[in-house]
């Protein structure tokens, strides 16, 4: 069962104001669109993430999405519904249309992995081509209808606030959008129902808000601060022996040297220590559990593969890496000339600002195995903020 996501970012964000469409504005240092896309890229059940945008936003798009590997975005239409149809048609003509599609508003940048799970599971369990699923929350306020005065109280039983991602069998929702393109319907569930599909309700999430008005930016910023209270620290340590060679790789940077480091992978003790620190912060075992040295596929592997994997595990828990501090312990080679490059490389792999990465070096005053130049060691500390309720 192959699932794809369509991320809608072709709106103008008129109600939110600001100097650019809201999906390109930053929150906690990242554009909303990047956060929304990242949530789906991080999800193991999503094979493709197709963005729908306005070509006039190309410069904003390029700046927001650096480093992410995505299919070329397609142009949206005048209405949300037209933009969805453009995204569906792009997936159809991609050569490998998915079985299931999740349609999501870029303006809901805080979508969780759990919601994506629930929607995929409900669609996969649904009745073939004829059933979709949406996340929704029950209405808890008393509802009134009226203009200047209350005219009536609306019965709130069985009323829901619909969110996205809304998930459907691909063929069914494409046919529904093609057939009802002329009607002004406000979400995909309405289009699906117009075409006779069933739509199941799964649990939404209060944090999955749609940034709509200027005050939403402020509200979410303060909420974000409140929910990042679950701060974890992890520690990592690694040693590799020197052997005959002409260069070492440390923290992702190759340094010419009279020896190389012996090891199963590229023996980058710096990245191995950071990988273990991240795994430690989320109590997810150690590097050997995830990449057994006995497994030939990891022989000569670039250590950034290990580090990226640890980062993805952190992200899948809704976590964010706050900082990394690594110390390389060796008599030679000299680390100082390469520090800036190492910081930049680590920051790039982890997709965080270089200011959040520290690389230090020390010797052991010629004492011990490191002092005798038999090998080197690396130590790292990682701090991670996990979001969501503390268990
Ligand atoms: N959207 C879209 N194409 C449109 C209109 C909306 O892709 N023609 C997207 C928006 O980018 C947004 C989502 O649909 O991610 C939900 O729409 P909304 O919150 O209304 O965003 P905007 O239309 O951009 O905002 P506004 O209505 O305030 O102008
Ligand atoms: Mg709109």
């Amino acid at each position: 069962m192959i699932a794809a996501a369509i991320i809608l970012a072709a709106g103008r964000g008129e109600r939110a104001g600001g100097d650019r469409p809201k999906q390109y504005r930053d929150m906690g240092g990242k554009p909303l669109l990047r956060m929304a896309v990242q949530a789906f890229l991080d999800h193991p059940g999503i094979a493709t993430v197709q963005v729908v945008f306005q070509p006039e936003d190309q410069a904003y798009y390029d700046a927001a999405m650096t480093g992410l590997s995505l299919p070329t975005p397609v142009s949206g239409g005048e209405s949300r519904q037209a933009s969805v149809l453009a995204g569906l048609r792009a997936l159809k003509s991609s050569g490998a249309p998915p079985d299931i599609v999740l349609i999501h508003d870029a303006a809901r940048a805080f979508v969780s992995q759990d919601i994506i799970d629930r929607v995929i599971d409900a669609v996969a369990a649904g009745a073939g081509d004829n059933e979709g699923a949406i996340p929704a929350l029950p209405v808890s306020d008393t509802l009134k209808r009226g203009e200047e005065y209350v005219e009536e109280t609306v019965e709130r039983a069985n009323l829901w606030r619909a969110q996205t991602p809304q998930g459907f069998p691909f063929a069914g929702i494409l046919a529904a959008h093609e057939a009802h393109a002329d009607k002004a319907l406000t979400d995909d569930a309405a289009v699906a129902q117009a075409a006779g599909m069933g739509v199941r309700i799964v649990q939404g999430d209060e944090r999955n808000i749609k940034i709509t008005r200027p005050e939403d930016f402020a509200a979410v910023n303060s909420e974000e601060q409140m929910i990042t209270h679950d701060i974890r620290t992890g520690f990592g340590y690694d040693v590799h022996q020197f052997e005959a060679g002409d260069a070492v790789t440390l923290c992702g940077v190759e340094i010419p040297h009279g020896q190389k480091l012996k090891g199963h992978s590229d023996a980058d003790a710096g990245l191995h220590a950071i990988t273990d620190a991240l795994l430690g912060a989320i109590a997810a075992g150690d590097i050997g559990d995830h990449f057994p040295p006995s497994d030939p596929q990891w022989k000569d592997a670039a250590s950034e593969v290990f580090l990226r994997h640890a980062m993805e595990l952190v992200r899948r828990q809704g976590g964010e890496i706050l900082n990394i501090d690594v110390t390389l312990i060796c008599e030679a080679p000299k680390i100082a000339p390469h520090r800036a490059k190492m910081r930049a490389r680590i920051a790039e792999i982890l997709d965080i600002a270089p200011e959040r990465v520290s690389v230090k070096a020390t010797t052991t005053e010629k004492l011990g195995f490191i002092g005798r130049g038999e090998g080197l060691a690396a130590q790292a500390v990682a701090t991670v903020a996990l979001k969501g309720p503390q268990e």
Side-chain angles (χ1 to χ4, degrees):
M1 189 83 85
I2 296 177
I6 291 175
I7 310 296
L8 297 169
R12 299 296 79 204
E14 267 155 27
R15 285 168 290 176
D19 67 339
R20 63 189 71 183
K22 60 190 178 182
Q23 58 271 32
Y24 298 108
R25 282 172 63 187
D26 275 9
M27 220 166 212
K30 276 193 190 168
L32 294 180
L33 173 59
R34 187 182 182 94
M35 283 191 259
V37 164
Q38 201 116 49
F40 288 87
L41 284 178
D42 287 345
H43 195 285
I46 300 286
T48 311
V49 181
Q50 177 64 58
V51 176
V52 182
F53 82 148
Q54 293 293 350
E56 67 187 73
D57 296 337
Q58 187 75 52
Y60 290 136
Y61 178 89
D62 291 343
M65 310 304 264
T66 45
L68 301 183
S69 103
L70 292 170
T72 311
V74 292
S75 301
E78 287 281 314
S79 64
R80 181 186 182 283
Q81 206 176 337
S83 296
V84 174
L85 184 53
L88 291 168
R89 284 179 177 161
L91 288 175
K92 169 84 180 171
S93 59
S94 69
D99 304 304
I100 288 177
V101 62
L102 271 59
I103 302 168
H104 185 67
D105 294 339
R108 292 189 197 269
F110 308 100
V111 55
S112 68
Q113 302 289 298
D114 287 348
I115 285 209
I116 299 174
D117 278 342
R118 288 197 286 270
V119 173
I120 293 179
D121 289 351
V123 178
D129 244 14
N130 216 28
E131 199 169 290
I134 64 167
L137 289 168
V139 172
S140 50
D141 296 327
T142 298
L143 294 178
K144 305 289 184 193
R145 192 190 310 277
E147 274 184 63
E148 236 176 299
Y149 289 89
V150 171
E151 283 158 23
E152 65 170 319
T153 298
V154 180
E155 174 61 52
R156 95 185 149 206
N158 297 329
L159 281 186
W160 300 85
R161 294 181 283 145
Q163 302 187 327
T164 70
Q166 302 196 343
F168 306 91
F170 180 74
I173 194 69
L174 173 59
H177 267 280
E178 295 280 9
H180 298 279
D182 57 331
K183 303 203 178 81
L185 299 167
T186 54
D187 73 352
D188 307 293
V191 175
Q193 284 199 296
M197 282 168 93
V199 180
R200 190 183 287 267
I201 296 172
V202 301
Q203 191 197 330
D205 180 349
E206 286 293 353
R207 278 192 298 270
N208 185 28
I209 74 158
K210 181 160 74 77
I211 301 289
T212 306
R213 296 190 170 73
E215 58 270 26
D216 294 337
F217 280 90
V220 171
N221 272 332
S222 56
E223 194 196 343
E224 282 286 280
Q225 280 152 15
M226 272 165 49
I227 59 180
T228 52
H229 54 200
D230 190 3
I231 305 290
R232 310 283 184 91
T233 302
F235 180 73
Y237 178 72
D238 194 33
V239 169
H240 281 277
Q241 196 181 339
F242 283 121
E243 63 181 14
D246 53 17
V248 297
T249 301
L250 285 171
C251 295
V253 174
E254 195 178 270
I255 305 173
H257 185 57
Q259 292 168 299
K260 72 191 262 289
L261 289 168
K262 183 175 171 179
H264 194 68
S265 66
D266 64 10
D268 187 332
L271 294 193
H272 294 177
I274 299 170
T275 302
D276 257 357
L278 286 174
L279 294 173
I282 55 169
D286 65 24
I287 194 168
D289 294 335
H290 296 268
F291 304 97
S294 55
D295 186 338
Q297 68 168 306
W298 308 123
K299 183 165 162 36
D300 300 326
S303 296
E304 72 169 81
V305 173
F306 308 156
L307 185 55
R308 269 187 219 284
H309 177 71
M311 171 195 74
E312 277 162 18
L313 292 178
V314 170
R315 288 249 183 85
R316 257 177 239 162
Q317 296 206 9
E320 201 179 321
I321 300 166
L322 297 182
N323 83 301
I324 298 289
D325 182 22
V326 56
T327 302
L328 300 172
I329 311 166
C330 57
E331 299 293 331
K334 278 229 171 320
I335 302 301
H338 308 284
R339 271 167 63 174
K341 210 168 160 193
M342 290 175 174
R343 289 179 66 197
R345 187 73 195 106
I346 295 164
E348 185 187 11
I349 296 168
L350 296 177
D351 193 22
I352 58 178
E355 298 78 57
R356 293 181 183 273
V357 178
S358 148
V359 175
K360 314 197 298 301
T362 186
T363 71
T364 58
E365 300 288 341
K366 302 228 157 35
L367 296 172
F369 75 90
I370 293 174
R372 291 189 298 274
E374 295 165 13
L376 59 67
Q379 297 184 335
V381 175
T383 311
V384 164
L386 295 185
K387 291 179 191 154
Q390 257 174 321
E391 281 169 38

